[in-house]
């Protein structure tokens, strides 16, 4: 595989600083196209050895339109073949080939994806200056405006609920820039807020993954929570009623649910009762609304009071 990016405490152009040129210039008249170096100067003041990945991500977040991908070379005859050193790149927002400046350590590396601060145009080539190697998996998170995401992949694996992030998460693939460069493999991202997102949130709510209040009731439900995500779920009144209530209050997170209960303590009570045998209705009414985990613990389990 490609070698790791050079340490930020060591210049990619030489020993004079991380983004400092070594003085070597390509032949011919040249003119530069780019931006100010303030971001680079700020990075030089940080403890770069311990925060290499974080620093590269910080810089990349402002260079979304200055990303380049190595063009295919004749040597790439198989998936395992290496990339030609010193080869041409395609920039996200520039027509024609661009090249890593010959004074850069990256000019002799095999990194497929790089970001750059500015372009320098000579009589024969356009060079990228102040380059850094990047991980393309950073792009959908740091530069979403230039990414096109796929539809959520249902299987495998299906969407999940991340309790710490308080979001429904799904697996998606992505392409980057107008060139539609594929970013692989598929990664987990927040689920787009649509009906499918609400369905998966309802499933995890009934399963007890969102709030512990619901966990003891999960085995007693009239149907398995997974029914919420089935294509025929709308045929059952209890699934459609719960879904419409969540959509109506835009509740696809624990935070949104708690805010809805603060405004209306009876929110979702009629819908949840439709999932339970009548023998449990009075118990649920007495303990409603559910409390956040910390408050529930202090009340000795909420629904058991």
């Amino acid at each position: 595989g490609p070698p790791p990016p050079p340490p930020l405490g060591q210049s990619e152009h030489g020993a004079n600083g991380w983004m400092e040129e070594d003085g070597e210039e390509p032949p011919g008249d040249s003119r530069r196209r780019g931006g100010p170096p303030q971001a680079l100067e700020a990075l030089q003041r940080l403890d770069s050895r311990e925060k290499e990945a974080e620093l590269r991500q910080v810089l990349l977040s402002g260079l979304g339109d200055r990303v380049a991908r190595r063009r295919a070379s004749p040597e790439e005859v198989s998936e395992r073949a290496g990339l030609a050193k010193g080869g041409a790149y395609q920039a996200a927002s520039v027509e024609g080939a661009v090249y890593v400046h010959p004074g850069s350590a990256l000019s002799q590396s095999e990194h497929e994806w790089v970001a750059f601060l500015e372009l320098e145009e000579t009589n024969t080539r356009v060079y990228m200056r102040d380059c850094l190697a990047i991980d393309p998996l950073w792009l959908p998170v740091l530069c979403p405006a230039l990414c096109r995401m796929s539809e959520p992949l249902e299987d495998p694996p299906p969407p999940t609920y991340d309790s710490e992030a308080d979001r429904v998460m799904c697996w998606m693939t992505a392409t980057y820039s107008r060139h539609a460069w594929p970013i692989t493999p598929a990664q987990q991202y927040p689920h787009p807020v649509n009906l499918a997102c609400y369905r998966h949130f309802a499933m995890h709510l009934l399963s007890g993954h969102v709030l512990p209040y619901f966990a003891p009731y999960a085995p007693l439900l009239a149907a398995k929570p997974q029914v919420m995500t089935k294509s025929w779920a709308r045929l059952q009144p209890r699934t459609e009623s719960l879904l419409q209530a969540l959509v109506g209050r835009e509740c696809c997170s624990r935070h949104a649910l708690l805010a809805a209960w603060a405004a209306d303590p009876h929110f979702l009570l009629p819908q949840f009762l439709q999932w339970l045998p009548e023998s449990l209705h009075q118990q649920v009414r007495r303990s409603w609304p559910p409390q956040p985990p910390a408050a529930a613990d202090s009340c000795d389990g909420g629904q058991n009071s």
Side-chain angles (χ1 to χ4, degrees):
L8 292 186
Q10 176 181 343
S11 172
E12 67 163 87
H13 301 291
N16 298 326
W18 179 48
M19 288 288 186
E20 195 172 323
E21 298 291 350
D22 64 358
E24 181 179 350
E25 297 287 344
D29 295 335
S30 65
R31 52 192 175 92
R32 293 190 179 187
R33 297 178 289 178
Q38 287 90 341
L40 302 179
E41 294 172 358
L43 290 173
Q44 290 173 355
R45 295 193 293 269
L46 298 176
D47 185 357
S48 57
R49 288 190 179 276
E50 294 183 0
K51 298 187 176 294
E52 177 174 343
E54 290 88 344
L55 297 181
R56 292 181 185 278
Q57 292 174 29
V58 167
L59 188 53
L60 174 61
S61 66
L63 297 175
D65 61 340
R66 301 181 190 186
V67 169
R69 182 173 182 254
R70 185 78 70 114
R71 283 184 167 182
S73 67
E75 288 79 2
E76 290 185 275
V77 294
S78 73
E79 184 178 346
R80 301 183 62 184
L83 295 168
K85 294 181 178 180
Y89 284 78
Q90 175 69 61
S93 56
V94 177
E95 295 295 338
V98 296
Y99 297 82
V100 176
H101 186 273
S104 168
L106 294 189
S107 66
Q108 296 302 311
S109 70
E110 299 177 354
H111 296 292
E112 184 177 3
W113 295 78
V114 299
F116 57 91
L117 183 63
E118 62 180 1
L119 293 175
E120 179 175 336
E121 188 172 0
T122 71
N123 292 335
T124 56
R125 286 184 171 183
V126 176
Y127 287 99
M128 298 179 289
R129 282 185 174 271
D130 298 325
C131 297
L132 70 155
I134 64 169
D135 185 337
L137 297 179
W138 297 342
L139 293 169
V141 177
L142 299 177
C143 309
L146 291 175
C147 279
R148 181 166 186 172
M149 309 302 296
S150 71
E151 291 296 318
L153 306 178
E154 290 291 331
D155 186 62
T160 60
Y161 173 75
D162 185 328
S163 182
E164 183 175 352
D166 191 20
R167 298 289 298 272
V168 175
M169 306 294 290
C170 66
W171 292 81
M172 293 187 287
T173 58
T175 58
Y176 193 73
S177 83
R178 59 183 176 176
H179 305 296
W181 297 326
I183 298 175
T184 56
Q187 296 291 308
Q188 258 194 328
Y189 302 102
H191 198 297
V193 179
N194 52 26
L195 277 180
C197 180
Y198 285 103
R199 289 185 182 280
H200 282 281
F201 179 75
M203 180 191 73
H204 288 288
L205 178 66
L206 293 172
S207 300
H209 301 156
V210 179
L211 287 165
Y213 176 94
F214 293 91
Y217 296 111
L220 308 174
L221 298 177
K224 292 183 177 181
Q226 290 79 359
V227 168
M228 288 297 311
T229 65
K230 303 301 182 182
S231 59
W232 41 265
R234 67 184 63 183
L235 301 178
Q236 298 193 4
R238 70 172 68 91
T239 60
E240 192 66 9
S241 175
L242 178 58
L243 177 65
Q244 293 305 318
L246 292 172
V247 172
R249 298 294 286 264
E250 298 183 355
C251 289
C252 58
S253 69
R254 181 175 54 239
H255 176 78
L257 268 180
L258 296 176
W261 281 322
D264 177 9
H266 296 287
F267 175 62
L268 282 191
L269 176 58
Q271 290 79 13
F272 185 52
L273 292 179
Q274 293 180 50
W275 287 77
L276 293 172
E278 190 172 351
S279 59
L280 293 174
H281 286 195
Q282 190 60 33
Q283 175 182 331
V284 171
R285 287 192 180 96
R286 287 198 305 265
S287 59
W288 200 265
Q291 300 296 311
D297 291 344
S298 64
C299 294
D300 193 27
Q303 75 272 20
N304 295 324
S305 59

